[in-house]
Amino acid sequence: MIAAAIDVTAGGARVVWSHNDEPVSLDASEWATGLREWLRERALHSGGGRVDVLLRNIGTDGHHSDGVVTRLSVNQYGSATATPADDDDWNRTVSPPAEVPANPNHSQPEAAVRRAADPTPDPEDHAQRRAWGDEVAVETSATPHLEARPTAAASAQAQGQRHSAPQTSGEVAVQDQQISGPEDREKASEGEDQTQNPGAGNRSFLTPNRFEEPAQQGWRGVLNHLGLRLSASAREKAQRDDIQAVSQHWPGPRIIVVVNQKGGSTKTPSTILLSAVFALYGGAGVCAWDTNQLQGTLGWRTEQGPHQATAKHLLAEAHRLLGVEAQSADLAHFVHHQTADRYDVLRSQPLMLDASQRFSPDQVDLVRQVLSKYFRMIIVDTSNDPSDPAWLEIVSRADQLVVATTTVEDRAEAGRLLLEDLRTRGEHYTELASNAVAVVSCADQHASKSQINTIATGYENLLRDVVTVPYDPAMVSGWLRWSTLQSTTQRAWLRVAAAVARGL
């Protein structure tokens, strides 16, 4: 049954619905509370235990979208589902215009709304049966963001590769069908029918935890705070999946190397922000390491500890730190802890330009051994010289490569040439290049979407994933902290880190 049709203005000014077959108008300050009370009353007293509402100008992801119609179904237990509807559904539900109290804040024509009978749900109709159950989920996904661009190279490596991306919690693909309801997910996990697989009955009595938190964001989150229990939108589920990915702890240390042979390609900001994401969501044990032997700037853009130590000082104590009597607290003499973002920095000496600053490949590996003993994740900021034996040494030890670039053409070209060069080296280097993630940071706040797309699209066939990051003045200069970024930039870097994590 369609119990109401609600028209949300562009600014969320007010909603009009039918209550006891009489038009009702509510201001923005009270419409969410009023809707919650009305839905609860109607669902409890409904003959079918369910109430359906049409929302105009609100999409299934919970965000305002002009001209979109969404059907919100709530059962007597407070569970809800949002599915797409259209103008025909709206027109069949809404009665011809009638007298409605005037409200100068409402810019759209006002309409009376009537209730309309809906046939009894067909037991074979999968979508209707889910709406009648105790738990339902959003059945459609939002349009993917520009920032996340899965590549053709990813699908080519999907079979037989030791790294694989986890499926999202909201959808499971089985024989080209989208499964989002709890019953469907359970069937998908069980696999084939037990009559065809007799061994399938030998299952544990312990039930896996399939709990999924209700929505916390958008209008769904607002209604949930008022007592309903709506599932999260596709956008919120995607964010939860990314957080889950970066929160993992892997068996053994992981080394992520950020590369580009051109200066100004945002290698240092990328190293800092990846370290912050993995530390803030995954916990301690993350170190950002500056291996640039000529004026590395990682120390300039991060917080300094109560000492002046650099990688050279750690190298001098490497054998002691690798000994059995050394303790993790001893590292505090050499690394600089970031108090807000919870990771540590091993600096190079940016003021020393002579030969004493340079490390041999063996010395680089010795420092790596020390860091691998005390940290679960090491994110490396590299120099601009791929021919340097020390550069090759640290790249040869990498578990994941990140190509940092901007929308400036020569920096993007330098990253592309570097990937091509690594492929020619064969074996581990070829695998690193194919499994790499490209981060395209917008260097110009006035850059067009087509300019960003050109760079991102150019990388798609070169590596596993491409993620774009919007322009943010906090990334340009000065100390770089997570809290100084805009919310859209934070979300983009969470996508970057999740893409990296899915390759580990």
Side-chain angles (χ1 to χ4, degrees):
M1 132 185 108
I2 298 294
I6 301 174
D7 190 0
V8 184
T9 63
R14 71 170 192 157
V15 176
V16 178
W17 67 46
S18 173
H19 181 63
N20 294 332
D21 298 327
E22 295 180 1
V24 176
S25 300
L26 293 179
D27 293 331
S29 60
E30 58 184 5
W31 82 266
T33 303
L35 177 60
R36 173 242 185 174
E37 296 297 332
W38 186 81
L39 287 175
R40 175 193 295 176
E41 177 185 351
R42 283 300 179 91
L44 287 175
H45 295 89
S46 171
R50 187 189 78 186
V51 59
D52 285 6
V53 179
L54 289 183
L55 299 175
R56 188 166 67 179
N57 299 329
I58 293 291
T60 56
D61 60 354
H63 293 268
H64 186 273
S65 181
D66 290 332
V68 172
V69 180
T70 295
R71 183 191 306 270
L72 178 66
S73 299
V74 181
N75 66 17
Q76 58 185 329
Y77 304 106
S79 297
T81 182
T83 55
D86 53 32
D87 289 337
D88 291 338
D89 297 321
W90 179 270
N91 293 331
R92 283 195 298 266
T93 304
V94 177
S95 64
E99 292 294 331
V100 179
N103 188 332
N105 295 325
H106 186 39
S107 60
Q108 299 183 3
E110 299 176 347
V113 186
R114 61 179 175 82
R115 300 170 59 186
D118 194 24
T120 302
D122 184 353
E124 298 300 322
D125 190 319
H126 187 68
Q128 289 182 338
R129 289 192 294 107
R130 277 204 300 270
W132 279 66
D134 292 346
E135 179 182 353
V136 287
V138 176
E139 298 177 355
T140 59
S141 59
T143 303
H145 292 278
L146 169 66
E147 288 81 5
R149 304 176 63 93
T151 66
S155 60
Q157 301 176 48
Q159 299 296 330
Q161 195 179 58
R162 63 186 179 94
H163 304 305
S164 62
Q167 290 178 318
T168 61
S169 61
E171 297 179 353
V172 181
V174 178
Q175 296 181 351
D176 298 328
Q177 295 180 358
Q178 293 297 323
I179 299 176
S180 58
E183 296 179 358
D184 299 324
R185 289 195 293 267
E186 184 175 355
K187 290 178 181 178
S189 66
E190 292 175 2
E192 298 180 352
D193 189 277
Q194 294 185 10
T195 58
Q196 299 177 0
N197 185 6
N202 298 325
R203 297 188 303 171
S204 171
F205 289 105
L206 300 178
T207 303
N209 183 8
R210 298 179 183 273
F211 175 74
E212 182 176 304
E213 292 186 359
Q216 300 294 325
Q217 302 176 4
W219 61 268
R220 299 167 184 268
V222 172
L223 294 181
N224 284 344
H225 286 299
L226 295 174
L228 294 180
R229 191 176 181 82
L230 280 69
S231 59
S233 66
R235 183 178 301 181
E236 186 173 355
K237 287 182 179 180
Q239 181 174 342
R240 292 178 181 180
D241 290 339
D242 288 345
I243 292 174
Q244 176 71 12
V246 301
S247 301
Q248 300 299 314
H249 281 207
W250 294 269
R254 293 293 185 267
I255 299 178
I256 301 168
V257 181
V258 183
V259 298
N260 195 319
Q261 57 187 336
K262 182 71 175 176
S265 56
T266 69
K267 291 193 299 293
T268 298
S270 298
T271 301
I272 293 172
L273 295 174
L274 281 173
S275 301
V277 173
F278 281 109
L280 289 172
Y281 288 102
V286 178
C287 181
W289 176 19
D290 191 349
T291 60
N292 192 337
Q293 306 202 58
L294 295 176
Q295 262 189 337
T297 59
L298 183 62
W300 291 354
R301 303 211 59 185
T302 52
E303 182 179 354
Q304 180 176 329
H307 54 74
Q308 299 286 336
T310 65
K312 187 175 182 180
H313 297 91
L314 184 145
L315 178 64
E317 298 291 330
H319 293 289
R320 180 180 67 83
L321 293 171
L322 288 172
V324 295
E325 295 183 357
Q327 302 178 14
S328 59
D330 294 336
L331 264 292
H333 294 290
F334 309 101
V335 297
H336 301 260
H337 184 63
Q338 307 304 297
T339 54
D341 293 340
R342 305 177 184 177
Y343 66 95
D344 294 290
V345 173
L346 180 61
R347 296 181 167 191
S348 66
Q349 176 51 271
L351 300 181
M352 295 178 62
L353 303 179
D354 56 22
S356 64
Q357 170 73 358
R358 290 191 174 274
F359 282 26
S360 68
D362 289 341
Q363 290 174 324
V364 169
D365 187 57
L366 190 58
V367 174
R368 177 198 63 80
Q369 292 179 47
V370 174
L371 296 182
S372 296
K373 177 181 178 181
Y374 295 99
F375 294 96
R376 66 181 181 87
M377 180 169 287
I378 305 163
I379 303 178
V380 185
D381 187 7
T382 60
S383 69
N384 304 327
D385 185 8
S387 65
D388 183 1
W391 187 97
L392 290 171
E393 172 62 29
I394 193 60
V395 171
S396 71
R397 302 288 184 174
D399 295 292
Q400 174 72 69
L401 211 63
V402 175
V403 180
T405 184
T406 69
T407 50
V408 178
E409 288 81 357
D410 60 347
R411 290 164 176 78
E413 179 66 8
R416 186 190 69 82
L417 292 175
L418 180 59
L419 287 170
E420 295 295 341
D421 177 70
L422 289 174
R423 280 195 176 85
T424 64
R425 299 176 184 268
E427 297 182 350
H428 182 55
Y429 296 103
T430 300
E431 181 183 355
L432 282 175
S434 299
N435 193 48
V437 173
V439 184
V440 183
S441 297
C442 188
D444 182 3
Q445 60 181 322
H446 302 296
S448 64
K449 289 184 178 180
S450 61
Q451 182 179 357
I452 299 173
N453 282 335
T454 299
I455 302 298
T457 303
Y459 273 97
E460 285 185 347
N461 294 326
L462 300 176
L463 32 67
R464 176 171 57 84
D465 209 349
V466 183
V467 186
T468 63
V469 176
Y471 175 82
D472 195 318
M475 292 180 57
V476 177
S477 62
W479 282 8
L480 185 52
R481 295 184 180 86
W482 182 253
S483 61
T484 63
L485 300 179
Q486 300 171 0
S487 59
T488 53
T489 311
Q490 290 180 343
R491 181 66 185 97
W493 278 106
L494 178 58
R495 291 190 189 96
V496 175
V500 171
R502 291 177 179 124
L504 296 176

